[in-house]
């Protein structure tokens, strides 16, 4: 094996007598370098886009969210909340009441999600830090914090005392309604803050109010909530936290983490990564076709030398390994050089943001060691297969020619 590797290195780093073979070998080597570089850069871009997309939902969603298996709301006793808070498993336990409602301001209307929260919500997420204009709502008031998209849609400013910002919900019940005004439960709200996430959908998604206002609009009793949102304490595993929730509330309740709350988004992003990876695998395979061609030409050129080695006692299997190792050397070196060049490009983009989506927002990329591993393993495995195909030409029939 050492002998085969020694000869393979000699062949890999020495020029052939044929200019055509040198040109084809150079083209195949450059193709591997460019393929590795391009694959790593594109995977890094998609890793950056994935992190960028998930950063928005990370801002919105808690570590854990509890749902009732039946209906929209469920009873939570103060004792249960106290048990969860005193367990040491959670930094915060917030009661939440949320549903879609109609909002109006002047002559404009929009549908959004009302999210009634209690005073412990700021311990569950740092969403109050996303308020760019005005201030976060005060407990037990009619304050409201809206997204910048909702503010623009309704042409609504802050602290407007002349025009009413109203939330409207359909009254429960049966029978005919003579006056349309009587069909709604209305609540006047005072917009005190505007949050900005930089995502159009999320900047329109929520209107934050005190939980009692949401309960009044949705006709939910004061002892009930639609969800519990919890932040896991540092050093506590997710599994233990979920187990504690089920111990306190009951096994029938559904507990979801951030990934499960956004499973559609995660599936979409993972599918995009997979499709892009497969496309670049095809590019690498095309580049390796030239490697196979150049290796076969080298095998034909080196036939007299190979015959001599065989005649002095080198077995055919070792002769075949010479070209197997030569192909692997070209693939490994090409992929390493490509990864180094790709790493430089990605690092420069991370550091200086030469390419921008828009002014002030650099195109997101992420330097990820997993991507390096994926690129290296993919090219080496495909290179091994290509080298096996080309080295298989070294057989008894080849030695008899």
């Amino acid at each position: 094996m050492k002998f085969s590797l020694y000869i393979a290195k000699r062949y890999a780093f020495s020029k052939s007598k044929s200019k055509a073979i040198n040109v084809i070998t150079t083209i195949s080597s450059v193709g591997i370098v460019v393929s590795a570089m391009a694959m790593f850069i594109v995977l890094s871009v998609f890793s950056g886009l994935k992190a960028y997309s998930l950063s928005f939902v990370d801002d919105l969603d808690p570590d854990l969210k509890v749902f009732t298996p039946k209906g929209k709301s469920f009873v939570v006793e103060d004792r249960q909340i106290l048990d969860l808070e005193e367990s040491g498993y959670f930094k915060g336990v917030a009661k939440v009441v949320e549903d879609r409602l109609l909002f109006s301001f002047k002559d404009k209307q929009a549908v959004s999600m009302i999210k009634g929260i209690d005073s412990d919500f700021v311990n569950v997420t740092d969403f109050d830090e996303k308020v760019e204009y005005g201030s976060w709502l005060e407990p037990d008031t009619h304050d409201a914090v809206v997204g910048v998209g909702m503010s623009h849609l309704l042409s609504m400013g802050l602290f407007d005392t002349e025009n009413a910002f109203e939330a409207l919900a359909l009254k429960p019940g049966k029978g005919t309604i003579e006056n349309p005004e009587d069909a709604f439960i209305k609540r006047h709200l005072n917009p005190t803050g505007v949050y900005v996430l930089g995502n159009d959908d999320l900047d329109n998604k929520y209107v934050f109010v005190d939980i009692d206002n949401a309960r009044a609009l949705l006709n939910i009793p004061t002892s009930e909530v639609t969800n519990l949102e919890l932040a896991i304490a540092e050093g506590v595993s997710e599994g233990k936290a979920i187990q504690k929730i089920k111990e306190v509330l009951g096994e029938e309740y559904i507990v979801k983490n951030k990934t499960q709350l956004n499973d559609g988004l995660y599936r979409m992003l993972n599918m995009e990564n997979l499709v892009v990876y497969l496309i670049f695998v095809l590019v690498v395979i095309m580049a390796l076709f030239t490697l196979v061609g150049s290796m076969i030409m080298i095998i034909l050129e080196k036939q007299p030398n190979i015959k001599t080695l065989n005649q002095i006692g080198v077995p055919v299997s070792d002769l075949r390994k010479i070209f197997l190792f030569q192909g692997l050397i070209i693939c490994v070196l090409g992929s390493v050089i490509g990864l180094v060049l790709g790493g430089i490009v990605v690092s420069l983009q991370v550091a200086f943001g030469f390419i921008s989506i828009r002014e002030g927002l650099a195109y997101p990329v992420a330097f990820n060691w997993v991507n390096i591993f994926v690129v290296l393993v993919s090219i080496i495995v495909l290179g091994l297969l290509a080298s096996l195909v080309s080295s298989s030409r070294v057989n008894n029939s080849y030695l008899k020619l």
Side-chain angles (χ1 to χ4, degrees):
M1 184 173 177
K2 288 183 179 180
F3 172 78
S4 300
L5 183 60
Y6 172 76
I7 300 296
K9 287 190 288 185
R10 292 282 301 256
Y11 284 173
F13 296 110
S14 62
K15 287 187 177 182
S16 171
K17 295 177 182 178
S18 171
K19 289 185 178 180
I21 293 176
N22 289 331
V23 170
I24 294 173
T25 304
T26 302
I27 290 172
S28 63
S29 300
V30 171
I32 293 169
V33 171
V34 173
S35 300
M37 179 180 172
M39 181 185 284
F40 178 71
I41 290 173
V42 172
L43 289 178
S44 297
V45 167
F46 273 83
S47 295
L49 288 173
K50 181 178 181 179
Y52 180 71
S53 300
L54 294 178
S55 67
F56 295 115
V57 298
D58 283 343
D59 291 333
L60 278 174
D61 295 325
D63 294 335
L64 297 173
K65 193 168 185 176
V66 182
F67 297 83
T68 176
K70 297 178 182 178
K72 284 189 174 182
S73 62
F74 59 96
V75 176
V76 177
E77 299 176 3
D78 291 339
R79 174 186 54 80
Q80 292 174 313
I81 298 295
L82 192 62
D83 285 346
L84 292 172
E85 289 176 338
E86 292 181 347
S87 67
Y89 288 3
F90 307 100
K91 292 187 294 185
V93 181
K95 298 176 184 177
V96 174
V97 171
E98 59 183 1
D99 205 348
R100 295 186 70 81
L101 289 185
L102 177 67
F103 295 89
S104 69
F105 182 76
K106 295 182 181 179
D107 57 345
K108 295 183 178 181
Q109 295 180 335
V111 176
S112 186
M113 182 78 74
I114 191 169
K115 186 157 186 169
I117 56 175
D118 64 7
S119 58
D120 207 29
F121 183 75
V122 293
N123 296 322
V124 174
T125 72
D126 58 355
F127 204 86
D128 54 316
E129 297 176 7
K130 305 299 177 184
V131 175
E132 294 284 340
Y133 311 103
S135 58
W136 188 248
L137 62 92
E138 294 292 332
D140 303 318
T141 64
H142 290 275
D143 292 351
V145 173
V146 302
V148 67
M150 172 72 79
S151 176
H152 290 165
L153 186 63
L154 298 180
S155 302
M156 180 178 65
L158 300 178
F159 308 106
D160 190 337
T161 58
E162 295 182 3
N163 301 287
F165 176 48
E166 288 186 317
L168 300 93
L170 284 171
K171 287 182 179 178
K174 298 179 180 179
T176 58
I177 300 172
E178 296 180 359
N179 185 358
E181 292 291 324
D182 297 333
F184 295 96
I185 301 172
K186 296 182 181 179
R187 203 79 166 181
H188 291 274
L189 302 172
N190 177 31
T192 60
V194 175
Y195 70 83
V196 179
L197 293 177
N199 180 284
D200 292 340
D201 292 335
L202 299 179
D203 283 337
N204 285 322
K205 187 172 183 179
Y206 284 116
V207 175
F208 291 92
V209 299
D210 183 74
I211 192 168
D212 289 331
N213 289 322
R215 281 172 173 152
L217 284 162
L218 298 172
N219 198 34
I220 292 176
T222 55
S223 60
E224 293 187 9
V225 297
T226 58
N227 307 105
L228 280 182
E229 297 190 358
L230 306 96
I232 301 174
E234 203 169 325
V236 177
S237 69
E238 186 180 280
K240 287 184 178 180
I242 292 173
Q243 185 179 358
K244 184 62 181 178
I245 292 169
K246 290 184 176 289
E247 283 178 9
V248 174
L249 298 180
E251 290 291 333
E252 70 275 12
Y253 286 91
I254 302 166
V255 184
K256 292 185 178 182
N257 57 24
K258 287 186 179 183
T259 303
Q260 293 165 333
L261 289 169
N262 302 282
D263 56 344
L265 176 62
Y266 276 88
R267 280 200 301 269
M268 180 192 72
L269 293 172
N270 290 334
M271 183 59 68
E272 286 178 349
N273 280 346
L274 178 61
V275 170
V276 169
Y277 168 73
L278 293 175
I279 290 171
F280 274 88
V281 164
L282 291 176
V283 173
V284 172
I285 291 172
M286 292 174 65
L288 290 174
F289 274 120
T290 58
L291 176 65
V292 173
S294 66
M295 290 297 298
I296 290 174
M297 292 179 70
I298 291 171
I299 289 170
L300 293 174
E301 184 195 33
K302 301 295 183 182
Q303 188 178 27
N305 297 338
I306 298 302
K307 280 185 176 181
T308 302
L309 290 172
N310 181 245
Q311 288 169 358
I312 63 175
V314 179
V316 175
S317 59
D318 287 347
L319 296 175
R320 194 177 293 124
K321 286 177 184 177
I322 292 173
F323 299 101
L324 174 65
F325 289 146
Q326 184 181 354
L328 281 175
I329 288 169
I330 294 172
C331 288
V332 171
L333 278 179
S335 58
V336 169
I337 293 170
L339 284 170
V340 170
L341 294 175
I344 292 171
V345 172
V346 170
S347 298
L348 288 173
Q349 175 64 17
V350 171
F352 302 105
F354 293 118
I355 303 173
S356 300
I357 298 176
R358 54 180 169 82
E359 189 176 352
L361 180 60
Y363 209 96
V365 294
F367 192 98
N368 195 328
W369 290 102
V370 173
N371 291 336
I372 292 177
F373 177 78
V374 168
V375 173
L376 197 60
V377 170
S378 299
I379 294 179
I380 289 175
V381 169
L382 292 172
L384 175 62
L385 294 175
S387 300
L388 283 170
V389 170
S390 56
S391 64
S392 64
R393 294 296 300 269
V394 181
N395 50 38
N396 292 325
S397 300
Y398 163 83
L399 295 171
K400 291 176 183 178
L401 291 175

